[in-house]
Amino acid sequence: MLFYNRKLKRLVAVELKQGSFRPEYKGQMELYLRWLAKYESEDAEGQPLGIILCAGASTRQIELLELDAAGIHVAEYLTVLPPQDVLERKLQDAISAARLRFETKPVTDTL
């Protein structure tokens, strides 16, 4: 899938993979990103960003491949919902983190 992020001013390529992350996914995404940079990006845009979503992800393998340096990010997605208590806890954690970010965000004077 291909998206455009207006705030980042860059194309974002997203790939969904059913299994665990495999090293060849990096090369495939790098090819997509180079093609996008050469043929689709406008002059004022940043380098395209790649996101690979896998059903399983090995943090150690991702760190060794230095994907962040290549503008590629890997995340895990769920194929089965966790128990309700886990979802509720994660939701509360996300709400707490958002409140903390909001409370510590500097206020800018617009007058």
Side-chain angles (χ1 to χ4, degrees):
M1 296 179 281
L2 183 62
F3 299 93
Y4 182 78
N5 185 302
R6 290 189 308 204
K7 290 189 186 245
L8 296 176
K9 294 185 173 137
R10 61 201 297 187
L11 293 167
V12 180
V14 179
E15 264 201 286
L16 299 174
K17 300 292 187 181
Q18 290 185 351
S20 295
F21 177 80
R22 296 183 3 203
E24 57 262 32
Y25 296 162
K26 177 188 181 201
Q28 187 176 20
M29 180 59 77
E30 286 174 333
L31 176 67
Y32 296 156
L33 295 179
R34 283 190 205 107
W35 190 89
L36 289 169
K38 185 171 184 171
Y39 296 110
E40 296 295 330
S41 293
E42 300 290 327
D43 291 337
E45 295 175 351
Q47 288 291 348
L49 175 70
I51 299 174
I52 303 171
L53 297 174
C54 300
S58 164
T59 305
R60 174 173 290 161
Q61 191 177 40
I62 292 164
E63 289 171 359
L64 289 173
L65 288 170
E66 297 180 351
L67 295 179
D68 287 342
I72 301 171
H73 303 276
V74 178
E76 186 175 5
Y77 67 91
L78 303 174
T79 56
V80 177
L81 284 178
Q84 183 175 350
D85 62 319
V86 172
L87 285 175
E88 288 173 352
R89 186 175 65 246
K90 289 192 175 284
L91 177 61
Q92 289 304 316
D93 291 346
I95 290 171
S96 297
R99 281 188 180 138
L100 183 62
R101 279 195 309 271
F102 181 74
E103 291 168 357
T104 58
K105 183 178 179 181
V107 178
T108 57
D109 193 301
T110 58
L111 294 178

